[in-house]
Every structure is written in C-alpha cells, then in structure tokens.
Amino acid sequence: MCRWAAYRGNALFIEDIVSSPAHSLIAQSHSATEARTPTNGDGFGIAWYGEREAPGLYRDILPAWSDCNLKSLASQIRSPLFLAHVRAATSGGTRRDNCHPFVHGRWSFMHNGQIEHFEKLRRPLETMLPDHLYATRAGTTDSELIFLLALHFGLETAPLPAFREAIAFIEHLATHLGYQAGVRFTAAFSDGNRLYAVRYATDENAPTLYASAMSAERGYCLVSEPLDDNRQNWMRIPDGSAVIIGADGLEVSVFETDTSLDFAMPMVAAQ
Amino acid sequence: MCRWAAYRGNALFIEDIVSSPAHSLIAQSHSATEARTPTNGDGFGIAWYGEREAPGLYRDILPAWSDCNLKSLASQIRSPLFLAHVRAATSGGTRRDNCHPFVHGRWSFMHNGQIEHFEKLRRPLETMLPDHLYATRAGTTDSELIFLLALHFGLETAPLPAFREAIAFIEHLATHLGYQAGVRFTAAFSDGNRLYAVRYATDENAPTLYASAMSAERGYCLVSEPLDDNRQNWMRIPDGSAVIIGADGLEVSVFETDTSLDFAMPMVAAQ
Amino acid sequence: MCRWAAYRGNALFIEDIVSSPAHSLIAQSHSATEARTPTNGDGFGIAWYGEREAPGLYRDILPAWSDCNLKSLASQIRSPLFLAHVRAATSGGTRRDNCHPFVHGRWSFMHNGQIEHFEKLRRPLETMLPDHLYATRAGTTDSELIFLLALHFGLETAPLPAFREAIAFIEHLATHLGYQAGVRFTAAFSDGNRLYAVRYATDENAPTLYASAMSAERGYCLVSEPLDDNRQNWMRIPDGSAVIIGADGLEVSVFETDTSLDFAMPMVAAQ
Amino acid sequence: MCRWAAYRGNALFIEDIVSSPAHSLIAQSHSATEARTPTNGDGFGIAWYGEREAPGLYRDILPAWSDCNLKSLASQIRSPLFLAHVRAATSGGTRRDNCHPFVHGRWSFMHNGQIEHFEKLRRPLETMLPDHLYATRAGTTDSELIFLLALHFGLETAPLPAFREAIAFIEHLATHLGYQAGVRFTAAFSDGNRLYAVRYATDENAPTLYASAMSAERGYCLVSEPLDDNRQNWMRIPDGSAVIIGADGLEVSVFETDTSLDFAMPMVAAQ
C-alpha cells in the first residue's frame, strides 16, 4: 500500500516530516492507520533538492523504523523541497531499485497504488518506452514504469497532461487486452521547483491524500495520512484531483483521464 | 516480542514449519496473533543440525517475509532438529549478530522475552563471563547474554539447572542493585540431540508456548503460537515449565528459579 | 571478470570447493590470479541440487570473503552437484538479482565473460524472449539474458546446441546493428543430472577453464582457476570447447558457433 | 589497512574528496597504492558537520565502489568539515557498527592501523571504560575502543593529550600482560571546529599521512594517500606527528607517548 510525505517551502530539516511528528512517516512504516496494512516495511527512500539540479536520493531495503542512517540524514539535511516514501510491496521484490522515490534527471516521483493485472500489462508497457528510457528501467515495479511512461508522454514540459495520458494509456491497454482496467494512483512528483500530487483511481477509490499549510515555514506538506491528530490542520484532497504547490501557494484542480483519447495500441503477439 | 518455532523428529524440510503452514513462522513475521505486536520484522534466523556436530546458522536483518534466500534454504534443507526465529527488537539494534538463534559449539539457543532494566544490568552481567565466553559476545542483546551466562553456569553438562541458575542470578542482581527483578523467558535450545524449551517469567506472565506431536514424522514441534487453526493439536505449555524432547518423546516438568540460592554479587563500582 | 567453480560426483560438502582449498573460491574473491582483476567482491552465489528437482539458491551482494552465512551453509550442505560463483560486475549494478547462479526450473547457470556493446544489444535481445521468459527477467546483466535466450532456443532439450544458437544469434545481431561482435563465454550449467561447461569467445580469448578429477569422490570439478598449486591435477580446457560431466565421466568436445546459421533479425526501429 | 580522507575549510561537496579526484577515496577502496592491500571493501562511512552540533553519520557494509547512495549523498552534501573512511577489516566482522567514522556527541573519529594482540587486550581495555562509555560500545573493533578510551582520558577538553594517554595506556597494558606492545595509529578526529590527525606507531612504522592546502577553498585536506599525481601538492607528515587544522591554518607538532607515565593496571584475573 505504501505511505508517503512531501514538502515544499522554506528549507526544513527532513526529520520534521519523516521522524519527529507524532505520526511521522517512520511511525507510519510500522503503524499506518489509513492503509490496507499497518506495516510498510519493504524499504524506504528520500529524494531532496538542494544546490544541484538533480535531487539527492537515498533508498534502502531495511524497514524505515530500523535504519540509523535514515535518522541521521533526516536530522542533518535541510531542503526546501523533498519527497519521502515507505514501501509495502505489491509488485516487485524488495531491493533498492524498487524503492521510491524514482529519479530521472531533475524529476523525482513516488507512488501509492497499483496497476491491476500488471503482470499482463508489464511487457506491452515496457515496449512503449523509447530506447533511452528503456535503458534506465532498473526495477520491476508498476510505479517506476508509470513514471517512465509519463516521461515519454512529455512530463518534462507538461507534467499533469503527461500523467493523464500515461494513465489513460494504461487503462486503454488493459481494456484492449481484455482485462478490467484498474489504476490506483496517489502520487507526488517534482522538478525541484514545483511540487505536484495527483489523487486518482479508475474506480474512484484512490489511496488517501491530505495537504497542510505550515505557515511558519511558508510551506506546505502533502501526505498519505496526517502526521498528527490536529485534524483541522489537514485538508483532505478529493478523489480525482491534482495539486500544484509553487512559489505562489497551493492550487487544487480536477484530474481525470480523457476517455476520448485514441491510442495506437502496441503490437502484442498472441503467445 | 519475537516468535519462534522448533522441531525434533524424523528429518523434515525446514519449510514445513517455517513457510508452508497456514500460520507459518514467516506468516507470523508480519501477522503474529498472540504477541504484543503483529510485526516481527527485525531480522530472522535458522539453526539446523545435520552431519556436523555444530549446527548450520543462517541469519539476516531483512524481514523474513521478504527474503528469497530463506525460502530457498527452507525448501532444500531437511533436518531432524532445527530452530527458527523471527525478531521484534527490544534491546539491541538490527544486525545479524543480534538475530537469533545464537550458536556456541554444538549448542543453539533462541529466546522470546526480555530482561527488565537490561541497560543497567548489562555491564555487571558481562563482567560475570569468563574470558573465553566474553570473547564470543558479538551482539548487544539480553538474549545472547542469557545464553552465555547459561554456558558459564554449566549448560553443556546440565542444561535446565544452568538456565535456572542464570535466571536466578539475573533476578538477584537486579534486586541487589535496587531494581525490580523481571525476566521473561520463553526459549528453546538444543545440543543437536535433545530439544529443550522453557516457559518462565518472574511475574508469571511469560510469552506463550505450545507443543504439538507430528505423529507421521515421529516428531514434535514447539512454537510461540500455533501454526494452524486446529487448536486441539496444540498443547499449551503452562507458565513455569520446562520441556525436553528426546528420542523417547516429550516430557514436561516444573521450572522455577531457586530463590534460596546465594550468589556472590559482582563488584560494581559506584560510577 | 568473475570466478566460478562447479562439482559433480559423490555428495561433497560445498566448502570442499568454496572455502577449504588453499586457493578456494572465497580466496579468489579477493585474490584471483588469472583474472583481469584480483577482486571479485560484487556479490556471490551458490546453487546446489538435493532432493528437489529445482536446486537451492543462495545469493547475496556482500563480498564472499565477509559473509558468515556462506561459510556456515557451505560447511553444512552436502550435494552431488553444485555451482558457486563470485562476481566482478561489468554490466548491471550490485544486487541479488544480478548475482550468479541464475535458476530456471531445474536449470542453473553461471557465467564468466561478457557481451561487447551490451548496452546497445540489451533491448533487441530482451525483445526476442517469449512472454513467459520475459516475465522472469529479474536483473540487468548480460549473463542472465544469455541464459534466458538459451532457454528460448531449447536448452531444456538440447543444451549445447541451445547455447551455440544463442551466442551465434548475439554475434549476428551485433553485426546486423553495425557493431563489432564480441561474446566471451566461460560458463557452467546443469539440470541436476549432468554438469556442462563451455569455454568460447568470438575472439578466441575466453576466460580460463580447468577441470580436475577427484577420484576419491568419483567426481569432477570445473573451475576458472585451480584451487591449489598442484598444476598436474588440473587439465586446462582449450578455447572453443564444451565439457559434459555425467554418470559416465567427463567428455570434452569442440564448441563453435555456426556461422552459416541464418536468423530473422528482430525489428529494431531507428531511435 | 583502511584508507581515509578528511577536510576542513570553506564548505565543499563531499564528492570533491570522496568521488571526483583521479585517486579518490572510492578509487582507493578497490585500488589503494600505499596500503598493505589494494582492497578496502569491508564497508565505508562518512561523518560531516553542518548546522547541528553533532555530525551526520552514514555508514554501510557494502564496498564503497558499489554504493549508489554514497555517490548521491557525496554529490549533494556540502560541508566545511568532514571525515570519510573505507575499511579493510582486521579485528571485528563486517557490519555497520564496525565501520568508521565513530561518533560520540559532537566528536567524530576514524582510524587506520591496529592494536597488536588486541584479542588479549580487548577485555581489560573495555573494563577501563566508565559505565556511560561502556554502554555506547556498539562494535568489536580496536578502533572504536581507542576512541572510547580517549574520551575517558579527556578528549573533550584536551584532545591530543587524551590520545597520548590512551595509546600509552594500551602500550603499558600490553607489556604488563607479557605481550609485545604495538599500536599503529594514523587517525583523524574532530569536534566540528578543529580537525586533528595523528600519525604514530610504537615501532615508528605508522600508516602514511599526507596533507594538502586547497587554497581556493581556504581549506586543507588530510589523506592516507594522495588523491592525485601532483606529488608536490602533498606534504608527507612524518611519523610521530600531530596535525591541527583550525581557523588559523594548519599546524604540525611532535606526537609521542610519554613513557614515564605511570598507570594503575586494571585487575585482570588469571583465567
């Protein structure tokens, strides 16, 4: 199921989101309350933006609750924009390349959700990738693949349309191959400037997403589940929404896939 | 809290206890039902007897549910006597040397429980060890230390009295230093010939212990919680008991520490 | 570069090949003498046949010289046929799925060598795989891919022809795409009954391969470099050879790829 | 044998010392040129000072050459004072707690060298530690123990005298117990303000130590072996020296242990 948290604002210590709160991301790695399972112990990762164009990336397969390195890094690194994730594996074994966030150039991405029938869709979806993206495919998760497809569909110039198309393509492909289309997609991504999130599911039953303003830091955080019990501080983002956090603040808009889009389906030989 | 399972009888594939049952040890690593926490994801280990005098030992820090090596080994290795453990850490970080079982010569040992105030008792207890056992102290758990103390108190010649003395010593030391004595000790150990278990707690509230006869294999298994729902197959071992499984079968006896024992307390300088 | 060792004969403790000899495989992991680099510290693995049809498999990313689990397993497990490998990475990062041996059903495979220009050939080669083999592709090495191609070309019915075709195909593909063909292939594989090895290179400069009879055990071992200094015990296998070890003993034959074979080249779009 | 590198000056990306140079620390992890062995693949670590009083600490057991996390962290983290180390194990197994640097409060420490007959001296040395330092003893290396002894002997108020006493104590103890005294100690340590190094050996054959001024950064680095071939930039620090780098620059002085010191030897029972 996974849990994640992201922040954009004045530079904050990563621990202020990942370790310190009453129901921090590390706490959620063993006792999540709004996920299908309480345990998200199949690895973790943080991606943070600093002086470089590309973000830093630290991922490991240990449960987040037992990693001393994570605690030390989170306590030392201050960043104005970062993503953090704890994993409950659905597709793909436990190894660093299957931990989120994923990074490509200056883009980072993390995901909570899954692609139904992924084992049937995986190959045709990988076939869609152009060579330079295929070459970077390092793991076996549906999450990494959605990210690579979005890069193919123009993430670097138009992020939300790119994911809209990627998800619509996956839904079309499933139907085309005779399966029930099903994508659950509560994700966050960033280019180091804006922080984006999407909450979407084919069956309108996407994993939860909350936002909170952190006025002292002139910032916002986005989370799978609130980091504390002050429920009035946490705005529940509705299903079928996109969030953009930029220098101007936070903006919510409708996110739906375009059912009228027509795709050339990849050639999939009968096997 | 930890969960464990042990077997003695005709040679059995380790997976028949660790992986295959409905509520196998691997299942208990993420969904234990009779432990304080359902998750026991701070490492695992197996020790098994074969042709050598000393047992084989395989331990790692990954949660048992995600380790492919464990599944393969358990599916391949057949043994007439083995111990298997999944860890929920109380004292001591997550690393191989803090995973159970522990092995010394031909003896293996695993433990569910803890020593109250261990951080205060650790040093005086380590001071008790003779040089050759001190030199083997590789981790920082209370469990490993109880094992080493029992070796010091004659485990190799009289196993149950050795643990009786070791536990009594710990209780005395705590009282001597002004702390509330508290040892919880549901453990299994073996020399490769007999399989022993003890269920004991100072406050008579020891973690659970069950035994089951596996008649087809002319064997017995001992577990923290039953491996399936057939409750009539599982004999609950009462608090304050010792179990010995040998060629002759299974025997249960009373296990208590001797409150009349007098120990020379180690010199503990005021610091 | 990698180093490996394999054995077939009366059941032998794995350590008799992997740990105990003067120049054991573990010794070769830090001080290989006939490899391009002395260090082969990018992971290791063992596959061994026992009671099951499929072999057991234990792989990890630590250098072989520092893994206590490997020493214990090798000391406990006795097997009539096993493969062991220590890795020096060329293509593919350091992770368990990139460690050898690879296993598919009852077949195991390990490799020393590489495919020239693999980063250009990887995608077309993966395109060749039928769905059921594509779905098992877990890593990113050229080695795993050669194995999967051989399975596609009929490894399970005719092992040596299957590898002959797979290698010829790779050479043809390279030429077809405008690259210099170059495959270095000193490999061992088994179905649990016979132990096979091949020493081949496009440029006739394949990594070394030796064989030795172990008469006491009525067995043979195959190695990258001899396990001890008694050079008269080690038969150097010439370049362009295949070795089959079965119940009848050891047989060496010529191994060459068939330059007359004609392949339908996969459709590779200009990107 | 180990290799290390440290820096103090204007904030520098850690990679400028650890990854980028022609003969960087990561290069030295597989191909050291002035060490007993070229391979230092038994783990690595970095400690760096930033906004907190205590340094950050990242250590892992993988060879430095294969860790993606290390490369990313080194590329992102800028620090005015940091220590970095790659390990070749002498005493103590391969695990995070045995990797350098070690950290205590705001102090960090790393070491190249060893204590002769450590297996005999370990227990009496650990006995010397006051309770609060004994409780922090997490690993089994001689290096960590020298650091804890120095803390006991007043590192926090007088760093160089503290190490002088600690080393002298170890030498006395060895002699007292009938062994040949032998300490090899080329180490670096810091409180986040000054960077210290010592090059000392009982037999005057200490591992090498070099210093270089990095004038553009108004800084200095200290290394086991030069990071590049410009030998004129690297000042060889003689045996029996201490180096202090502070805001005022770099200062070298004589470092010797005081053979006239008289110590009360710990009570070591004949065993």
Side-chain angles (χ1 to χ4, degrees), chain B residues 95 97 122-123 126-131 134-135 137-140 267 269 271, chain D residues 95 97 122-123 126-131 134-135 137-140 267 269 271:
Chain B
R95 60 199 218 208
D97 291 306
R122 181 188 156 206
R123 185 170 203 179
E126 285 173 351
T127 304
M128 280 300 294
L129 299 174
D131 282 354
Y134 187 95
R137 169 60 158 164
T140 54
M267 195 174 68
Q271 299 264 1
Chain D
R95 59 197 221 207
D97 292 305
R122 181 189 157 205
R123 185 171 203 177
E126 284 173 350
T127 304
M128 281 300 294
L129 299 175
D131 283 354
Y134 188 95
R137 170 58 159 164
T140 54
M267 192 174 70
Q271 298 264 359

Side-chain angles (χ1 to χ4, degrees), chain B residues 77-135:
Chain B
I77 296 174
R78 204 195 270 276
S79 170
L81 203 165
F82 56 88
L83 279 61
H85 183 278
V86 291
R87 185 172 183 240
T90 47
S91 68
T94 302
R95 60 199 218 208
R96 286 184 179 182
D97 291 306
N98 283 345
C99 294
H100 315 209
F102 302 96
V103 166
H104 186 93
R106 62 172 199 219
W107 283 90
S108 56
F109 168 83
M110 60 185 177
H111 173 226
N112 177 11
Q114 59 186 91
I115 296 175
E116 278 297 304
H117 308 294
F118 180 61
E119 69 293 350
K120 300 293 185 191
L121 303 181
R122 181 188 156 206
R123 185 170 203 179
L125 290 173
E126 285 173 351
T127 304
M128 280 300 294
L129 299 174
D131 282 354
H132 76 280
L133 290 176
Y134 187 95

